[in-house]
Coordinates of all heavy atoms in Angstrom, one line a residue:
M1 N -119.2 49.1 -64.6 CA -120.3 49.8 -64.0 C -120.4 51.3 -64.4 O -119.4 52.0 -64.2 CB -120.3 49.6 -62.5 CG -121.5 50.3 -61.8 SD -121.3 50.1 -60.0 CE -122.8 49.2 -59.7
I2 N -121.5 51.7 -64.9 CA -121.6 53.1 -65.3 C -122.0 53.9 -64.0 O -122.8 53.5 -63.2 CB -122.7 53.2 -66.4 CG1 -122.3 52.5 -67.6 CG2 -123.0 54.7 -66.7 CD1 -123.3 52.4 -68.7
P3 N -121.4 55.1 -63.9 CA -121.8 56.0 -62.7 C -123.3 56.3 -62.8 O -123.9 56.4 -63.9 CB -120.9 57.2 -62.9 CG -119.8 56.8 -63.8 CD -120.3 55.7 -64.7
K4 N -123.9 56.5 -61.6 CA -125.3 56.8 -61.5 C -125.5 58.2 -62.1 O -124.7 59.1 -62.0 CB -125.7 56.7 -60.0 CG -125.6 55.4 -59.4 CD -125.9 55.4 -58.0 CE -125.6 54.1 -57.3 NZ -125.8 54.1 -55.9
P5 N -126.7 58.4 -62.5 CA -127.1 59.8 -63.1 C -126.8 60.9 -62.1 O -126.4 62.0 -62.5 CB -128.5 59.7 -63.5 CG -128.8 58.2 -63.7 CD -127.8 57.5 -62.8
K6 N -127.1 60.6 -60.8 CA -126.9 61.7 -59.8 C -125.4 62.0 -59.7 O -125.0 63.1 -59.5 CB -127.4 61.2 -58.4 CG -128.9 61.3 -58.3 CD -129.3 61.0 -56.9 CE -130.8 61.1 -56.7 NZ -131.3 60.8 -55.4
T7 N -124.5 61.0 -59.8 CA -123.1 61.2 -59.7 C -122.6 62.0 -60.9 O -121.8 62.9 -60.8 CB -122.4 59.8 -59.6 OG1 -122.9 59.1 -58.5 CG2 -120.9 60.0 -59.5
I8 N -123.1 61.6 -62.1 CA -122.7 62.3 -63.3 C -123.2 63.8 -63.2 O -122.4 64.7 -63.6 CB -123.3 61.6 -64.5 CG1 -122.7 60.3 -64.8 CG2 -123.2 62.5 -65.8 CD1 -123.3 59.5 -65.9
L9 N -124.4 64.0 -62.7 CA -124.9 65.4 -62.6 C -124.0 66.2 -61.6 O -123.7 67.4 -61.8 CB -126.3 65.4 -62.1 CG -127.0 66.7 -62.0 CD1 -127.1 67.4 -63.4 CD2 -128.4 66.6 -61.5
L10 N -123.6 65.5 -60.5 CA -122.8 66.2 -59.5 C -121.4 66.5 -60.1 O -120.9 67.7 -59.9 CB -122.6 65.3 -58.3 CG -121.6 65.8 -57.2 CD1 -122.2 67.1 -56.5 CD2 -121.3 64.7 -56.2
L11 N -120.8 65.6 -60.8 CA -119.5 65.8 -61.4 C -119.6 67.0 -62.5 O -118.7 67.8 -62.6 CB -119.0 64.6 -62.1 CG -118.6 63.4 -61.1 CD1 -118.2 62.2 -61.9 CD2 -117.5 63.8 -60.2
L12 N -120.7 67.0 -63.3 CA -120.9 68.0 -64.3 C -121.0 69.4 -63.6 O -120.5 70.4 -64.1 CB -122.1 67.6 -65.1 CG -122.3 68.5 -66.4 CD1 -121.1 68.5 -67.3 CD2 -123.5 68.1 -67.1
S13 N -121.8 69.4 -62.5 CA -122.0 70.6 -61.8 C -120.7 71.2 -61.2 O -120.4 72.4 -61.3 CB -122.9 70.4 -60.6 OG -124.2 70.0 -61.1
I14 N -119.8 70.3 -60.7 CA -118.5 70.7 -60.2 C -117.6 71.3 -61.3 O -117.0 72.3 -61.2 CB -117.8 69.6 -59.4 CG1 -118.6 69.3 -58.2 CG2 -116.4 69.9 -59.1 CD1 -118.1 68.0 -57.5
V15 N -117.6 70.6 -62.5 CA -116.9 71.1 -63.6 C -117.4 72.5 -64.1 O -116.6 73.4 -64.3 CB -116.9 70.1 -64.8 CG1 -116.4 70.7 -66.0 CG2 -116.1 68.8 -64.4
L16 N -118.7 72.6 -64.1 CA -119.2 73.9 -64.5 C -118.9 75.0 -63.6 O -118.5 76.2 -63.9 CB -120.7 73.8 -64.7 CG -121.2 73.0 -65.9 CD1 -122.7 72.9 -66.0 CD2 -120.7 73.6 -67.2
L17 N -118.9 74.7 -62.3 CA -118.5 75.7 -61.3 C -117.0 76.1 -61.4 O -116.6 77.2 -61.3 CB -118.8 75.2 -59.8 CG -120.2 75.2 -59.4 CD1 -120.4 74.5 -58.1 CD2 -120.7 76.6 -59.3
L18 N -116.2 75.1 -61.7 CA -114.7 75.4 -61.9 C -114.5 76.2 -63.1 O -113.7 77.1 -63.1 CB -114.0 74.1 -62.0 CG -113.7 73.3 -60.7 CD1 -113.1 71.9 -61.1 CD2 -112.8 74.1 -59.8
L19 N -115.3 76.0 -64.2 CA -115.2 76.8 -65.4 C -115.7 78.2 -65.2 O -115.4 79.1 -66.0 CB -115.9 76.1 -66.5 CG -115.2 74.9 -67.1 CD1 -116.0 74.2 -68.1 CD2 -113.8 75.1 -67.5
L20 N -116.5 78.5 -64.2 CA -116.9 79.8 -63.9 C -115.8 80.7 -63.4 O -115.8 81.9 -63.6 CB -118.0 79.8 -62.8 CG -119.4 79.5 -63.3 CD1 -120.4 79.4 -62.1 CD2 -119.9 80.5 -64.3
I21 N -114.7 80.1 -62.8 CA -113.6 80.9 -62.3 C -112.9 81.7 -63.5 O -112.8 82.9 -63.4 CB -112.6 80.0 -61.6 CG1 -113.3 79.4 -60.3 CG2 -111.3 80.7 -61.2 CD1 -112.5 78.3 -59.7
P22 N -112.5 81.0 -64.6 CA -111.9 81.9 -65.6 C -112.9 82.8 -66.3 O -112.6 83.9 -66.8 CB -111.3 80.8 -66.6 CG -112.0 79.6 -66.3 CD -112.4 79.6 -64.9
L23 N -114.2 82.4 -66.4 CA -115.2 83.2 -67.0 C -115.4 84.5 -66.2 O -115.4 85.6 -66.8 CB -116.5 82.4 -67.1 CG -117.7 83.2 -67.8 CD1 -117.3 83.4 -69.2 CD2 -119.0 82.4 -67.6
V24 N -115.4 84.4 -64.9 CA -115.5 85.6 -64.1 C -114.2 86.4 -64.1 O -114.3 87.7 -64.2 CB -115.9 85.2 -62.6 CG1 -115.8 86.4 -61.7 CG2 -117.3 84.6 -62.6
A25 N -113.1 85.7 -64.1 CA -111.8 86.5 -64.2 C -111.7 87.2 -65.5 O -111.1 88.3 -65.5 CB -110.7 85.5 -64.1
M26 N -112.3 86.7 -66.6 CA -112.2 87.4 -67.9 C -112.9 88.8 -67.8 O -112.6 89.7 -68.6 CB -112.8 86.5 -69.0 CG -111.9 85.4 -69.4 SD -112.6 84.3 -70.6 CE -113.1 85.4 -71.9
Q27 N -113.9 88.9 -66.9 CA -114.7 90.1 -66.8 C -113.9 91.2 -66.1 O -114.2 92.4 -66.3 CB -116.0 89.9 -66.0 CG -116.8 88.7 -66.6 CD -117.1 88.8 -68.1 OE1 -117.5 89.8 -68.6 NE2 -116.8 87.7 -68.7
F28 N -112.9 90.8 -65.3 CA -112.2 91.8 -64.5 C -110.7 92.1 -65.0 O -110.1 93.1 -64.5 CB -112.2 91.4 -63.1 CG -113.5 91.3 -62.5 CD1 -114.2 90.1 -62.3 CD2 -114.2 92.5 -62.1 CE1 -115.5 90.1 -61.7 CE2 -115.5 92.5 -61.6 CZ -116.1 91.3 -61.4
T29 N -110.2 91.2 -65.8 CA -108.8 91.4 -66.2 C -108.6 90.9 -67.6 O -109.3 90.1 -68.1 CB -107.8 90.7 -65.3 OG1 -106.5 90.9 -65.7 CG2 -108.1 89.2 -65.2
N30 N -107.6 91.5 -68.3 CA -107.2 91.1 -69.6 C -106.2 90.0 -69.6 O -105.8 89.5 -70.6 CB -106.6 92.3 -70.4 CG -107.7 93.3 -70.7 OD1 -108.9 92.9 -70.9 ND2 -107.3 94.5 -70.8
E31 N -105.7 89.6 -68.4 CA -104.7 88.5 -68.2 C -105.3 87.2 -68.6 O -104.6 86.2 -68.9 CB -104.2 88.5 -66.8 CG -103.4 89.8 -66.4 CD -102.2 90.0 -67.3 OE1 -101.4 89.0 -67.5 OE2 -101.9 91.1 -67.6
V32 N -106.6 87.0 -68.3 CA -107.3 85.7 -68.7 C -108.0 86.0 -70.0 O -108.9 86.8 -70.1 CB -108.3 85.3 -67.5 CG1 -109.0 84.0 -67.9 CG2 -107.6 85.2 -66.2
N33 N -107.7 85.2 -71.0 CA -108.2 85.4 -72.3 C -108.5 84.0 -72.9 O -107.8 83.5 -73.7 CB -107.3 86.2 -73.2 CG -107.9 86.6 -74.5 OD1 -109.1 86.5 -74.7 ND2 -107.1 86.9 -75.5
W34 N -109.7 83.5 -72.5 CA -110.0 82.1 -73.0 C -111.0 82.3 -74.2 O -111.9 83.1 -74.1 CB -110.7 81.3 -71.9 CG -109.8 80.8 -70.9 CD1 -108.5 81.2 -70.5 CD2 -110.0 79.6 -70.1 NE1 -108.0 80.4 -69.6 CE2 -108.8 79.4 -69.3 CE3 -111.0 78.7 -70.0 CZ2 -108.7 78.3 -68.4 CZ3 -110.9 77.6 -69.2 CH2 -109.7 77.5 -68.4
S35 N -110.9 81.4 -75.1 CA -111.9 81.4 -76.2 C -112.9 80.3 -75.9 O -112.8 79.6 -74.9 CB -111.2 81.0 -77.5 OG -110.7 79.7 -77.5
V36 N -114.0 80.2 -76.7 CA -115.0 79.2 -76.5 C -114.3 77.8 -76.5 O -114.7 76.9 -75.7 CB -116.1 79.3 -77.5 CG1 -117.1 78.2 -77.4 CG2 -116.8 80.6 -77.4
M37 N -113.4 77.6 -77.4 CA -112.7 76.3 -77.6 C -111.9 76.0 -76.3 O -111.9 74.8 -75.9 CB -111.8 76.3 -78.8 CG -111.4 75.0 -79.2 SD -112.9 74.0 -79.6 CE -112.2 72.4 -79.8
D38 N -111.4 77.0 -75.7 CA -110.6 76.7 -74.4 C -111.6 76.2 -73.3 O -111.2 75.3 -72.6 CB -110.0 78.0 -73.9 CG -108.8 78.5 -74.8 OD1 -108.2 77.6 -75.4 OD2 -108.6 79.7 -74.9
F39 N -112.8 76.8 -73.3 CA -113.7 76.3 -72.3 C -114.2 74.9 -72.6 O -114.4 74.1 -71.7 CB -114.9 77.3 -72.2 CG -114.7 78.5 -71.4 CD1 -114.4 79.7 -72.1 CD2 -114.7 78.5 -70.0 CE1 -114.1 80.9 -71.3 CE2 -114.5 79.7 -69.3 CZ -114.2 80.9 -70.0
V40 N -114.5 74.6 -73.9 CA -114.9 73.3 -74.3 C -113.8 72.3 -73.9 O -114.1 71.2 -73.3 CB -115.3 73.3 -75.8 CG1 -115.5 71.8 -76.2 CG2 -116.5 74.1 -76.0
L41 N -112.6 72.5 -74.3 CA -111.5 71.6 -74.0 C -111.3 71.4 -72.5 O -111.1 70.3 -72.1 CB -110.2 72.1 -74.7 CG -109.1 71.1 -74.7 CD1 -109.4 69.8 -75.3 CD2 -107.9 71.7 -75.4
A42 N -111.3 72.5 -71.8 CA -111.1 72.4 -70.3 C -112.3 71.6 -69.7 O -112.1 70.7 -68.8 CB -111.1 73.8 -69.7
G43 N -113.5 71.8 -70.2 CA -114.6 71.1 -69.7 C -114.5 69.6 -70.0 O -114.8 68.7 -69.1
L44 N -114.1 69.3 -71.2 CA -113.9 67.9 -71.6 C -112.8 67.2 -70.7 O -113.0 66.1 -70.3 CB -113.6 67.7 -73.0 CG -114.7 68.0 -74.0 CD1 -114.3 68.0 -75.4 CD2 -115.8 66.9 -73.8
L45 N -111.7 67.9 -70.5 CA -110.6 67.3 -69.7 C -111.0 67.1 -68.3 O -110.8 66.0 -67.7 CB -109.4 68.3 -69.8 CG -108.5 68.2 -71.0 CD1 -107.5 69.3 -71.0 CD2 -107.9 66.9 -71.2
L46 N -111.7 68.1 -67.7 CA -112.1 68.0 -66.3 C -113.2 66.9 -66.1 O -113.1 66.1 -65.2 CB -112.6 69.3 -65.8 CG -111.5 70.4 -65.6 CD1 -112.1 71.7 -65.3 CD2 -110.5 70.0 -64.5
F47 N -114.2 66.9 -67.0 CA -115.3 66.0 -66.8 C -114.8 64.6 -67.1 O -115.1 63.6 -66.4 CB -116.4 66.4 -67.8 CG -117.7 65.5 -67.6 CD1 -118.3 65.5 -66.4 CD2 -118.1 64.7 -68.6 CE1 -119.5 64.8 -66.2 CE2 -119.3 63.9 -68.4 CZ -119.9 64.0 -67.2
G48 N -114.0 64.4 -68.2 CA -113.4 63.1 -68.5 C -112.6 62.5 -67.4 O -112.7 61.4 -67.0
T49 N -111.7 63.4 -66.8 CA -110.9 63.0 -65.7 C -111.7 62.6 -64.5 O -111.5 61.5 -63.9 CB -109.9 64.1 -65.3 OG1 -109.1 64.4 -66.4 CG2 -109.0 63.7 -64.2
S50 N -112.8 63.3 -64.2 CA -113.6 63.0 -63.1 C -114.3 61.7 -63.3 O -114.5 60.9 -62.4 CB -114.6 64.1 -62.8 OG -115.5 64.3 -63.8
L51 N -114.8 61.4 -64.5 CA -115.4 60.2 -64.8 C -114.5 59.0 -64.7 O -114.8 57.9 -64.2 CB -116.1 60.2 -66.2 CG -117.4 60.9 -66.4 CD1 -117.8 60.9 -67.8 CD2 -118.4 60.4 -65.5
V52 N -113.3 59.1 -65.2 CA -112.3 58.1 -65.1 C -111.9 57.8 -63.6 O -111.9 56.6 -63.2 CB -111.0 58.4 -65.9 CG1 -109.9 57.4 -65.6 CG2 -111.3 58.4 -67.4
I53 N -111.8 58.8 -62.8 CA -111.5 58.6 -61.4 C -112.7 58.0 -60.7 O -112.5 57.1 -59.9 CB -111.1 60.0 -60.7 CG1 -109.7 60.4 -61.2 CG2 -111.1 59.8 -59.2 CD1 -109.2 61.7 -60.7
E54 N -113.9 58.3 -61.1 CA -115.1 57.7 -60.5 C -115.1 56.2 -60.8 O -115.4 55.4 -60.0 CB -116.3 58.4 -61.0 CG -117.6 57.8 -60.5 CD -117.8 57.9 -59.0 OE1 -117.3 58.8 -58.4 OE2 -118.5 57.0 -58.4
L55 N -114.7 55.9 -62.1 CA -114.7 54.5 -62.5 C -113.6 53.7 -61.7 O -113.8 52.6 -61.2 CB -114.4 54.4 -64.0 CG -114.3 53.0 -64.6 CD1 -115.7 52.4 -64.5 CD2 -113.8 53.1 -66.0
V56 N -112.5 54.4 -61.5 CA -111.4 53.7 -60.7 C -111.9 53.5 -59.2 O -111.7 52.4 -58.7 CB -110.1 54.6 -60.7 CG1 -109.1 54.2 -59.6 CG2 -109.4 54.6 -62.0
L57 N -112.6 54.5 -58.7 CA -113.1 54.3 -57.3 C -114.1 53.2 -57.2 O -114.2 52.5 -56.2 CB -113.7 55.6 -56.8 CG -112.7 56.8 -56.6 CD1 -113.4 58.0 -56.2 CD2 -111.6 56.4 -55.6
Q58 N -114.8 52.9 -58.3 CA -115.8 51.8 -58.3 C -115.2 50.5 -58.5 O -115.6 49.5 -57.9 CB -116.9 52.1 -59.4 CG -117.8 53.2 -59.1 CD -118.8 53.4 -60.2 OE1 -118.9 52.6 -61.2 NE2 -119.7 54.4 -60.1
K59 N -114.2 50.4 -59.4 CA -113.6 49.1 -59.8 C -112.5 48.6 -58.9 O -112.4 47.4 -58.7 CB -113.1 49.2 -61.2 CG -114.2 49.4 -62.2 CD -115.1 48.2 -62.4 CE -116.1 48.4 -63.4 NZ -117.1 47.3 -63.5
V60 N -111.6 49.5 -58.4 CA -110.5 49.1 -57.6 C -110.9 49.0 -56.2 O -111.5 49.9 -55.6 CB -109.3 50.2 -57.8 CG1 -108.1 49.8 -57.0 CG2 -108.9 50.3 -59.3
K61 N -110.5 47.9 -55.6 CA -111.0 47.6 -54.2 C -110.2 48.2 -53.1 O -110.8 48.7 -52.2 CB -111.0 46.0 -54.0 CG -111.8 45.3 -55.0 CD -113.3 45.7 -54.9 CE -114.1 44.9 -55.9 NZ -115.3 45.6 -56.3
T62 N -108.9 48.2 -53.2 CA -108.1 48.8 -52.0 C -107.9 50.3 -52.1 O -107.7 50.8 -53.2 CB -106.8 48.1 -51.9 OG1 -106.0 48.4 -53.1 CG2 -106.9 46.6 -51.8
T63 N -108.0 50.9 -51.0 CA -107.8 52.4 -50.9 C -106.5 52.8 -51.4 O -106.3 53.8 -52.1 CB -108.1 52.9 -49.5 OG1 -109.4 52.4 -49.0 CG2 -108.0 54.4 -49.4
K64 N -105.4 52.0 -51.1 CA -104.1 52.4 -51.5 C -104.0 52.4 -53.0 O -103.4 53.3 -53.6 CB -103.1 51.3 -50.9 CG -101.7 51.6 -51.3 CD -100.8 50.5 -50.7 CE -99.3 50.7 -51.1 NZ -98.5 49.7 -50.5
H65 N -104.5 51.4 -53.7 CA -104.5 51.4 -55.1 C -105.4 52.5 -55.7 O -105.1 53.0 -56.8 CB -104.9 50.0 -55.7 CG -103.9 49.0 -55.4 ND1 -104.2 47.7 -54.9 CD2 -102.5 49.0 -55.6 CE1 -103.1 47.0 -54.7 NE2 -102.1 47.7 -55.2
Q66 N -106.5 52.8 -55.1 CA -107.4 53.8 -55.6 C -106.6 55.2 -55.6 O -106.7 55.9 -56.5 CB -108.6 53.9 -54.7 CG -109.6 52.8 -54.9 CD -110.8 53.0 -53.9 OE1 -110.7 53.7 -52.9 NE2 -111.9 52.2 -54.2
L67 N -105.9 55.4 -54.5 CA -105.2 56.7 -54.3 C -104.1 56.7 -55.4 O -103.8 57.8 -56.0 CB -104.7 56.8 -52.9 CG -105.7 57.1 -51.9 CD1 -105.1 57.1 -50.5 CD2 -106.3 58.5 -52.1
L68 N -103.4 55.6 -55.5 CA -102.2 55.6 -56.4 C -102.7 55.8 -57.9 O -102.1 56.7 -58.6 CB -101.5 54.3 -56.3 CG -100.3 54.1 -57.3 CD1 -99.2 55.0 -56.9 CD2 -99.8 52.7 -57.2
I69 N -103.7 55.1 -58.3 CA -104.2 55.3 -59.7 C -104.8 56.7 -59.9 O -104.6 57.3 -60.9 CB -105.2 54.1 -60.0 CG1 -104.5 52.8 -60.0 CG2 -105.8 54.4 -61.4 CD1 -105.4 51.6 -60.1
S70 N -105.6 57.1 -58.9 CA -106.2 58.5 -59.1 C -105.1 59.5 -59.1 O -105.2 60.5 -59.9 CB -107.1 58.7 -57.9 OG -108.2 57.8 -57.9
G71 N -104.1 59.4 -58.3 CA -102.9 60.3 -58.3 C -102.2 60.4 -59.7 O -101.9 61.4 -60.2
I72 N -102.0 59.2 -60.3 CA -101.4 59.1 -61.6 C -102.3 59.8 -62.6 O -101.8 60.5 -63.5 CB -101.1 57.7 -62.0 CG1 -100.0 57.1 -61.1 CG2 -100.8 57.5 -63.5 CD1 -99.8 55.6 -61.2
I73 N -103.6 59.6 -62.6 CA -104.5 60.2 -63.5 C -104.5 61.7 -63.4 O -104.4 62.5 -64.3 CB -106.0 59.7 -63.3 CG1 -106.0 58.2 -63.7 CG2 -107.0 60.5 -64.0 CD1 -107.3 57.5 -63.3
L74 N -104.4 62.2 -62.1 CA -104.4 63.7 -61.9 C -103.0 64.3 -62.4 O -103.0 65.4 -63.0 CB -104.6 64.0 -60.4 CG -106.0 63.8 -59.9 CD1 -106.1 64.0 -58.4 CD2 -107.0 64.7 -60.6
I75 N -101.9 63.6 -62.2 CA -100.6 64.0 -62.7 C -100.7 64.1 -64.2 O -100.2 65.1 -64.8 CB -99.5 63.1 -62.2 CG1 -99.3 63.3 -60.7 CG2 -98.2 63.4 -63.0 CD1 -98.3 62.3 -60.1
L76 N -101.3 63.1 -64.9 CA -101.4 63.2 -66.3 C -102.3 64.3 -66.8 O -102.0 65.0 -67.8 CB -101.9 61.8 -66.8 CG -101.0 60.6 -66.7 CD1 -101.7 59.4 -67.1 CD2 -99.8 60.8 -67.6
L77 N -103.3 64.6 -66.0 CA -104.2 65.8 -66.3 C -103.4 67.1 -66.2 O -103.5 67.9 -67.1 CB -105.4 65.8 -65.4 CG -106.2 67.1 -65.5 CD1 -107.0 67.2 -66.8 CD2 -107.2 67.2 -64.3
F78 N -102.6 67.2 -65.1 CA -101.9 68.5 -64.9 C -100.8 68.6 -66.0 O -100.6 69.7 -66.5 CB -101.3 68.5 -63.5 CG -102.3 68.6 -62.5 CD1 -102.1 67.9 -61.3 CD2 -103.5 69.4 -62.6 CE1 -103.1 68.0 -60.3 CE2 -104.4 69.4 -61.6 CZ -104.2 68.7 -60.4
L79 N -100.2 67.5 -66.4 CA -99.1 67.6 -67.4 C -99.8 68.0 -68.8 O -99.2 68.8 -69.5 CB -98.4 66.3 -67.6 CG -97.4 66.0 -66.4 CD1 -96.8 64.6 -66.6 CD2 -96.3 67.0 -66.4
L80 N -100.9 67.4 -69.1 CA -101.6 67.7 -70.4 C -102.1 69.2 -70.3 O -101.9 69.9 -71.3 CB -102.7 66.8 -70.6 CG -103.5 67.0 -71.9 CD1 -102.6 66.9 -73.1 CD2 -104.7 66.0 -72.0
W81 N -102.6 69.6 -69.2 CA -103.1 71.0 -69.1 C -101.9 72.0 -69.2 O -102.1 73.0 -70.0 CB -103.7 71.2 -67.7 CG -104.5 72.4 -67.6 CD1 -104.1 73.7 -67.5 CD2 -106.0 72.5 -67.4 NE1 -105.1 74.6 -67.4 CE2 -106.3 73.8 -67.3 CE3 -107.0 71.5 -67.4 CZ2 -107.6 74.3 -67.2 CZ3 -108.3 72.0 -67.3 CH2 -108.6 73.3 -67.2
A82 N -100.8 71.7 -68.6 CA -99.6 72.6 -68.7 C -99.1 72.6 -70.2 O -98.7 73.7 -70.7 CB -98.5 72.1 -67.8
E83 N -99.1 71.5 -70.8 CA -98.7 71.4 -72.2 C -99.6 72.2 -73.1 O -99.2 73.0 -74.0 CB -98.6 70.0 -72.7 CG -98.3 69.8 -74.2 CD -96.9 70.4 -74.5 OE1 -96.0 70.5 -73.7 OE2 -96.7 70.7 -75.7
L84 N -100.9 72.1 -72.9 CA -101.8 72.9 -73.7 C -101.8 74.4 -73.4 O -102.0 75.2 -74.3 CB -103.3 72.3 -73.5 CG -103.5 71.0 -74.1 CD1 -104.9 70.5 -73.7 CD2 -103.4 71.0 -75.6
A85 N -101.5 74.7 -72.2 CA -101.5 76.1 -71.8 C -100.3 76.8 -72.2 O -100.4 78.0 -72.8 CB -101.6 76.2 -70.2
V86 N -99.1 76.3 -72.0 CA -97.9 77.0 -72.3 C -96.9 76.2 -73.1 O -95.8 76.7 -73.3 CB -97.2 77.4 -71.0 CG1 -98.0 78.4 -70.2 CG2 -96.8 76.3 -70.1
G87 N -97.2 75.1 -73.6 CA -96.3 74.3 -74.4 C -95.1 73.8 -73.6 O -93.9 74.0 -74.0
L88 N -95.3 73.3 -72.4 CA -94.2 72.9 -71.5 C -93.2 72.0 -72.1 O -92.0 72.1 -71.9 CB -94.9 72.2 -70.3 CG -94.0 71.8 -69.1 CD1 -93.5 73.1 -68.5 CD2 -94.8 71.0 -68.1
F89 N -93.7 71.1 -73.0 CA -92.8 70.1 -73.6 C -92.5 70.4 -75.1 O -91.7 69.7 -75.7 CB -93.3 68.7 -73.5 CG -93.6 68.3 -72.1 CD1 -95.0 68.1 -71.7 CD2 -92.7 68.1 -71.1 CE1 -95.3 67.8 -70.4 CE2 -93.0 67.8 -69.8 CZ -94.3 67.6 -69.4
G90 N -93.1 71.4 -75.6 CA -92.9 71.7 -77.0 C -93.4 70.8 -78.0 O -92.9 70.6 -79.1
S91 N -94.5 70.0 -77.7 CA -95.1 69.1 -78.6 C -96.0 69.8 -79.6 O -96.5 70.9 -79.4 CB -95.8 68.0 -77.8 OG -97.0 68.5 -77.3
P92 N -96.4 69.1 -80.6 CA -97.3 69.7 -81.6 C -98.7 70.0 -81.1 O -99.4 70.8 -81.7 CB -97.4 68.6 -82.7 CG -96.2 67.7 -82.5 CD -95.9 67.8 -81.1
I93 N -99.2 69.3 -80.1 CA -100.5 69.6 -79.6 C -100.7 70.9 -78.9 O -101.7 71.5 -78.8 CB -101.0 68.5 -78.6 CG1 -100.2 68.5 -77.3 CG2 -101.1 67.1 -79.2 CD1 -100.8 67.6 -76.2
A94 N -99.5 71.5 -78.5 CA -99.6 72.9 -78.0 C -99.5 74.0 -79.0 O -99.5 75.1 -78.7 CB -98.5 73.0 -77.0
G95 N -99.3 73.6 -80.3 CA -99.3 74.5 -81.3 C -97.8 75.0 -81.6 O -97.6 76.0 -82.3
N96 N -96.9 74.3 -81.0 CA -95.4 74.7 -81.3 C -94.9 74.0 -82.5 O -95.1 73.0 -82.8 CB -94.6 74.4 -80.0 CG -95.0 75.2 -78.9 OD1 -95.5 76.3 -79.0 ND2 -94.7 74.7 -77.7

C-alpha cells in the first residue's frame, strides 16, 4: 500500500523543517559547513527512512514488531549518517 498524498506531504514538510536547522546554523557559525550535495543526501536519507517506517507501520500488525523494526531502521539510519559525517567505520563511502 502506497502512503496517502497527505502523509507524503507531511513527511516531506517535516524533512524540510529538519533541514532548516543546519541551513540556519550555517548563517551564524562556520562550524556548520554543508554543501548542496549534503542537503540533498540528508533529505534523501530522512525522507526515505520516513517512507520506509510509514510502510512498516502500515504492513506490520503488532505494535511490538512495528517498534522493533522501526528501531532497527533508525539505528541503521544513524550508523549510515555517522559514517557519512565522520567516517566512523572507515569505509569507502565516507571518502576514506
Side-chain angles (χ1 to χ4, degrees):
M1 177 182 241
I2 298 172
K4 297 176 186 174
K6 284 185 179 181
T7 303
I8 292 174
L9 185 61
L10 176 66
L11 294 175
L12 188 58
S13 300
I14 292 169
V15 168
L16 291 175
L17 284 173
L18 286 173
L19 290 175
L20 280 177
I21 295 170
L23 183 65
V24 170
M26 286 174 54
Q27 308 308 312
F28 296 104
T29 182
N30 291 329
E31 298 296 319
V32 181
N33 187 17
W34 283 28
S35 68
V36 173
M37 196 61 190
D38 293 328
F39 281 100
V40 170
L41 188 58
L44 287 173
L45 282 172
L46 291 172
F47 187 63
T49 301
S50 64
L51 283 178
V52 171
I53 289 176
E54 178 64 28
L55 183 66
V56 166
L57 295 177
Q58 288 179 5
K59 295 291 184 183
V60 178
K61 300 300 181 205
T62 64
T63 304
K64 181 180 177 181
H65 289 132
Q66 288 175 344
L67 289 172
L68 180 66
I69 296 170
S70 296
I72 291 169
I73 292 168
L74 288 174
I75 289 170
L76 291 173
L77 169 70
F78 294 140
L79 288 173
L80 181 59
W81 194 290
E83 176 61 23
L84 290 172
V86 295
L88 188 65
F89 305 112
S91 73
I93 65 169
N96 291 337

